[in-house]
Amino acid sequence: MNFTLTFPTKTSQTSERTFSSTSSLTNWLAPKRGHNEKNRKGRPRMRTGGSTKGTTVVWGDYGLRMRDHDRRIAAKQLQIAADAIKTRLRGQRYRLYTRVCANIGVYTKGNEVRMGKGKGSFDYWAARVAVSRVLFELKGDLHEQIVRDAFRLAGNKLPGLYEFVRKGDPPVMGITKVEAGTTLEQMQRPKINLPMDVTAGRISATTPP
């Protein structure tokens, strides 16, 4: 009696992975939850109590930071700015980091509509960007002048004024750069020179009258 042994042939591996330790990419131009609740307009808060969160370059080597005033930026404007950077750096090896996300819904009404009758219908997604907040970061083997030009093109597509920052630049509290030797007490002092009588009135008397 003859027996034949058959072995399974090696099949080609598919490109799809069944498991990954890294999280899937999320859309930074629209939240996952959708627009079930109507968001209020709100205002970005200027951090003046000692916090410098989001004002320095963390992951990349260079960054684009807002420097004039807080504002609400539409997701379409952010996408156009990111496309301008990618177009300028076409053919280069780099990685682009986004530090903001469009998670605020904007609701509008039509023209010549009477007051009342609700907030309006959903129009687009936007991001609240505070002053001195870093929007984009770049990392790669790139010349600094090329990165400056790419961020210049992106800043021209966005509302407001922006500045070029490097990794290691001092953080910003409000609109004041916290450089070496600057303390929180010095930044909380009034920036105007008070009259002599007002200053003398605040000084406690050392001897009783």
Side-chain angles (χ1 to χ4, degrees):
M1 184 179 294
N2 298 327
F3 296 95
T4 58
L5 298 178
T6 59
F7 297 93
T9 59
K10 185 178 181 180
T11 58
S12 61
Q13 297 180 356
T14 59
S15 60
E16 297 181 356
R17 297 177 60 184
T18 58
F19 173 78
S20 176
S21 59
T22 58
S23 60
S24 60
L25 296 177
T26 57
N27 185 11
W28 64 288
L29 296 175
K32 187 177 180 180
R33 58 177 172 80
H35 53 88
N36 297 327
E37 299 179 357
K38 293 188 177 181
N39 305 104
R40 300 297 180 261
K41 181 182 294 185
R43 291 182 178 86
R45 301 301 180 185
M46 178 183 294
R47 300 180 181 272
T48 58
S51 176
T52 57
K53 182 179 179 181
T55 62
T56 57
V57 179
V58 179
W59 300 308
D61 300 326
Y62 308 100
L64 182 67
R65 183 167 63 189
M66 179 178 289
R67 68 179 180 88
D68 61 339
H69 196 274
D70 56 83
R71 54 177 42 83
R72 189 175 62 185
I73 303 178
K76 187 176 181 180
Q77 294 174 326
L78 294 172
Q79 181 63 52
I80 292 174
D83 292 342
I85 297 175
K86 295 176 183 179
T87 302
R88 178 62 181 85
L89 302 179
R90 183 176 299 170
Q92 306 286 339
R93 299 186 61 181
Y94 67 94
R95 184 167 183 179
L96 178 65
Y97 298 92
T98 56
R99 296 285 301 274
V100 295
C101 60
N103 56 356
I104 303 299
V106 179
Y107 300 83
T108 57
K109 289 185 177 182
N111 297 329
E112 300 182 1
V113 177
R114 293 179 178 270
M115 297 178 62
K117 305 296 183 181
K119 185 178 179 65
S121 59
F122 175 79
D123 191 6
Y124 59 90
W125 292 107
R128 293 195 192 113
V129 183
V131 65
S132 303
R133 181 69 183 271
V134 176
L135 278 73
F136 299 103
E137 292 185 15
L138 270 175
K139 184 177 182 179
D141 189 10
L142 300 171
H143 196 275
E144 181 178 334
Q145 192 62 34
I146 299 178
V147 180
R148 283 180 177 270
D149 191 35
F151 282 154
R152 179 188 60 82
L153 296 175
N156 293 338
K157 304 294 183 180
L158 295 173
L161 300 177
Y162 299 86
E163 63 180 351
F164 176 83
V165 292
R166 306 182 188 88
K167 190 177 184 65
D169 286 355
V172 181
M173 185 187 303
I175 57 175
T176 306
K177 294 184 179 180
V178 185
E179 298 178 345
T182 305
T183 61
L184 180 61
E185 291 75 12
Q186 294 176 354
M187 301 186 65
Q188 290 179 347
R189 293 175 184 173
K191 300 298 187 295
I192 59 176
N193 297 324
L194 299 177
M196 183 59 67
D197 54 350
V198 178
T199 306
R202 293 185 178 182
I203 300 175
S204 59
T206 56
T207 58

